[in-house]
Amino acid sequence: MERNEKAKKLRIYVSNTDAYRNEPLYQVLVRTARELGMAGTTIYKGVMGYGTSSDLLPLDSWANAEKVPVTIEIIDSQAAVQDFMATVAPILQEQPKGCLVTMQDVDILYIKHGQNRD
């Protein structure tokens, strides 16, 4: 991806307790993105949140809560995002408590490529 390029931002909202085959779901999704050669992925751990399948805990219990929201964010070309979604859709469909996936257009304003450390 380069400066002034159009891209897509994919966001997947799950819980840190969601799993696929005994592995945290967010790790499965990030590993899959890397295996597909996507530009990059970031995981955001939430402090507080709720969704259609969970109750909002009182604020004082969040300090010790083990279940927190997690957002996986990926920015890449539309084709790459569509390939990723086609690959992970069956995994997301299996999630018993659900998840939310959004996609929006983004403009790349600045990008500095780093060196690969592999």
Side-chain angles (χ1 to χ4, degrees), residues 46-116:
V47 174
M48 186 175 189
Y50 70 93
T52 58
S53 66
S54 61
D55 295 326
L56 182 63
L57 296 175
L59 187 56
D60 59 349
S61 67
W62 276 90
N64 298 319
E66 292 182 21
K67 181 177 179 178
V68 294
V70 174
T71 303
I72 299 100
E73 185 171 277
I74 301 170
I75 299 175
D76 211 322
S77 69
Q78 181 169 343
V81 167
Q82 288 174 333
D83 288 346
F84 173 79
M85 281 305 300
T87 302
V88 301
I91 296 169
L92 298 176
Q93 287 293 329
E94 287 186 28
Q95 294 305 303
K97 294 188 178 183
C99 62
L100 172 67
V101 179
T102 65
M103 183 170 63
Q104 64 190 97
D105 294 328
V106 294
D107 296 323
I108 305 298
L109 300 179
Y110 176 82
I111 187 168
K112 182 194 180 301
H113 297 282
Q115 295 178 1
N116 211 352

